[in-house]
Amino acid sequence: MNFSEILKLAFAALLANKLRSSLTMLGISVGVFSVIGVMTVISGLRANIESGLNVLGANSFQFSKYPAINFSDPRQRFANRRDIDYAMANRFKEMLGEDADVSLQIRRMGRVVTYHDRRTNPNVMLGGADENFISSRNFELAAGRNIGQGDVEFGRGVVILGGDIVKRLFLNEEPVGRQVRIDGQNYTVVGVLAPKGSAFGQSQDNVALIPISQFLETYGRSGRSISINVQAHTQAELAATQDRAIGVMRLVRGLDPEDGNDFEVFSNESLIEAFNKIAGIVAVGAFVISAIALLASGIGVMNIMLVSVTERTKEIGIRKSIGAKKKNILTQFLMEAVALSLAGGLAGVLVGIAAGNAVAVVLNAAMVFPWAWALAGVVVCSGIGIGFGLYPAWKAATLDPIEALRYE
C-alpha cells in the first residue's frame, strides 16, 4: 500500500461516519477558535494602539483623581479621594510656571446642542477647558480661534464645536459667530475643531468646549474633579518635568513625605503599557479555555478511533491476511486521526480570523491575518491527531490477524 492509497482509505473511513467525525471536529474547532479569534482582535488593536491610545499631546502626562484604566481595584477606593478642585488646579498651574504648559479640563457627557430648530443627539461631550487644552490633546482648529485666557478669566459664554456637531446644526451656514444653546445657556461659537476621527468606536469630533470657569459656574463646583494635563517643552525634559510636577502636586495637595500619592499620573506610554497588560491577561484566559477544549477534543479523537478500531477489527484481519504490514495499518489510523484534527483546526482558524476581524472592524482597528497563530493552530492540531491517535493506531496495528478474522 502506498501513501496515496492509505490517505484515500483514511478519508473514506471518516466520510463513512459523518456525524461522529463532525462532532469531534467541532470540539477541536472551538478550542482553536477561542485562541485565534482573541489573538486576531489583539493583533488588530495592537496595530492601531498608538493612534487609538494617543489621547494626550506629545511629551505630555496627566494628573487625575481616577486612573485612566482600571480593572483590578474597586472604584470606591478612588472615589474616597479628595477632588482636584479648581483652586487647587490653578495653584498647581501657577507654581509650575514656565517649566511646562499646563491645561485644565473637566467634562460632562450626554449633552444636547441646539441651533434654532435643529438639535444634536444627547451624546455630545461638553468639556470645560482652558487656552492650552487644544494643543495638549492633539486637536487643531479648522476655523475661528481658540479659547483665550480672557475667556477663562471672565467666564465668557463662548464655545468651540467639533466637526460632527457643525455638520448636524449648520447645513449651509458659517458657524463662527452664531449662537447655540447647551442646557439652557447661550454660547457664541468662536471656533471649529478640525476632524480627528474615532478611537475605539467613539467619535472625537462630537465635542463642545467652553471655558472651564463658565463650566463650573453653570454646573457647580461641588463634586467636580479636574484633570490636569502637563506638556514638557521637549522629550528630553519629560522625565524631569514629570518628577517636578509630581512634587508640586503633592505640595498643593498638602501631603507629608511619608504619605502616598492620592492622585493618578498617566501618559501615552503608561496607557499603552496598561493595554498590553490587559491584552496579556485576555490571551492567557484564551489559552486556558483553548487548552481545556483541545484536551477534551483530543480525548474525543482517541475514543472515536478506538471505536473505529473495534468496528473494523475484521477488516483489519482481512488486510493483514493478504499482506498488509503493521506500519500500513498504523499509518492509516494515524492519518485518520490527523485528518480529523486538522479539519477541525482549519475550520477553527478560518472562523476565528473572520470573527476576530469582525470585532476589530467594530472597534475601528486594523484587519489582520495572524499567520503565526494560524500556523501554530495547524501544528497543534496535527500534534493532537498524532498524540491522541497513536494508541488506537498501535492497537489496530498489533491485532492478531487470526483473532481479528474470528471477531464478530
Side-chain angles (χ1 to χ4, degrees):
M1 296 176 70
N2 58 36
F3 183 77
S4 62
E5 289 177 340
I6 293 174
L7 193 61
K8 288 178 183 177
L9 287 171
F11 279 107
L14 294 177
L15 291 173
N17 298 282
K18 295 183 180 67
L19 179 60
R20 192 165 66 189
S21 299
S22 299
L23 291 174
T24 305
M25 288 189 293
L26 179 62
I28 295 174
S29 298
V30 170
V32 175
F33 163 80
S34 62
V35 169
I36 297 296
V38 169
M39 297 315 297
T40 300
V41 174
I42 290 176
S43 298
L45 288 175
R46 202 180 299 279
N48 283 12
I49 188 172
E50 290 191 3
S51 59
L53 289 179
N54 192 22
V55 295
L56 307 180
N59 311 326
S60 292
F61 54 93
Q62 187 169 111
F63 293 96
S64 68
K65 178 179 177 179
Y66 296 97
I69 301 176
N70 173 52
F71 290 100
S72 57
D73 295 313
R75 184 176 175 84
Q76 187 60 35
R77 169 191 164 192
F78 304 105
N80 290 332
R81 290 174 170 176
R82 291 174 296 159
D83 293 327
I84 302 176
D85 59 33
Y86 190 46
M88 195 179 295
N90 269 330
R91 187 181 173 206
F92 173 87
K93 188 173 182 178
E94 291 171 4
M95 291 182 67
L96 204 58
E98 300 297 324
D99 289 350
D101 295 325
V102 179
S103 108
L104 313 180
Q105 188 231 348
I106 191 168
R107 63 181 184 175
R108 191 180 178 103
M109 308 299 292
R111 302 299 95 193
V112 175
V113 183
T114 60
Y115 175 67
H116 295 330
D117 59 343
R118 293 188 285 272
R119 56 194 289 121
T120 66
N121 292 327
N123 58 357
V124 173
M125 191 281 282
L126 177 65
D130 63 6
E131 68 278 4
N132 294 326
F133 175 81
I134 288 181
S135 62
S136 70
R137 288 305 185 98
N138 280 336
F139 283 100
E140 294 181 1
L141 286 170
R145 66 172 178 86
N146 188 15
I147 293 173
Q149 290 184 352
D151 298 325
V152 177
E153 183 179 353
F154 298 108
R156 291 175 181 148
V158 297
V159 65
I160 298 176
L161 300 179
D164 288 353
I165 300 174
V166 171
K167 290 177 184 176
R168 185 69 179 261
L169 300 183
F170 302 95
L171 303 179
N172 298 302
E173 296 180 67
E174 174 60 42
V176 177
R178 308 291 181 181
Q179 277 202 341
V180 297
R181 288 180 67 83
I182 305 174
D183 291 340
Q185 299 290 321
N186 290 327
Y187 297 94
T188 302
V189 179
V190 295
V192 175
L193 295 173
K196 197 177 181 184
S198 299
F200 300 106
Q202 288 191 332
S203 173
Q204 298 183 77
D205 300 320
N206 195 34
V207 299
L209 303 175
I210 63 175
I212 188 169
S213 52
Q214 175 64 29
F215 183 102
L216 295 171
E217 183 67 26
T218 302
Y219 298 104
R221 303 192 179 202
S222 177
R224 307 278 178 200
S225 187
I226 295 170
S227 296
I228 303 175
N229 191 86
V230 182
Q231 188 170 35
H233 299 310
T234 64
Q235 179 66 34
E237 298 176 15
L238 179 59
T241 301
Q242 184 166 337
D243 288 341
R244 183 169 188 277
I246 291 174
V248 172
M249 178 56 74
R250 289 180 58 85
L251 185 62
V252 167
R253 301 279 278 179
L255 299 176
D256 293 327
E258 65 274 11
D259 295 335
N261 293 338
D262 62 348
F263 52 86
E264 295 295 323
V265 186
F266 59 88
S267 62
N268 291 329
E269 290 73 19
S270 65
L271 291 177
I272 292 172
E273 183 180 349
F275 171 84
N276 288 332
K277 287 181 180 178
I278 295 169
I281 293 171
V282 172
V284 169
F287 278 123
V288 171
I289 294 171
S290 178
I292 295 171
L294 290 176
L295 178 61
S297 301
I299 295 171
V301 168
M302 182 183 289
N303 287 336
I304 280 185
M305 296 309 300
L306 286 172
V307 170
S308 181
V309 170
T310 302
E311 290 177 346
R312 295 155 62 189
T313 298
K314 193 166 187 178
E315 173 194 328
I316 294 168
I318 293 172
R319 288 183 181 171
K320 282 195 167 189
S321 67
I322 59 177
K325 298 180 180 179
K326 281 186 178 181
K327 67 177 182 180
N328 300 133
I329 304 297
L330 182 71
T331 303
Q332 178 186 344
F333 278 87
L334 268 182
M335 287 296 300
E336 289 182 26
V338 171
L340 198 62
S341 300
L342 275 179
L346 288 172
V349 167
L350 294 176
V351 175
I353 290 173
N357 280 316
V359 174
V361 168
V362 172
L363 296 176
N364 287 333
M367 296 181 66
V368 297
F369 191 102
W371 292 100
W373 288 103
L375 181 60
V378 171
V379 171
V380 168
C381 289
S382 300
I384 288 173
I386 295 172
F388 287 91
L390 186 60
Y391 173 70
W394 176 82
K395 184 177 180 181
T398 55
L399 283 174
D400 182 87
I402 296 175
E403 295 297 327
L405 286 169
R406 290 175 178 173
Y407 184 82
E408 292 295 338

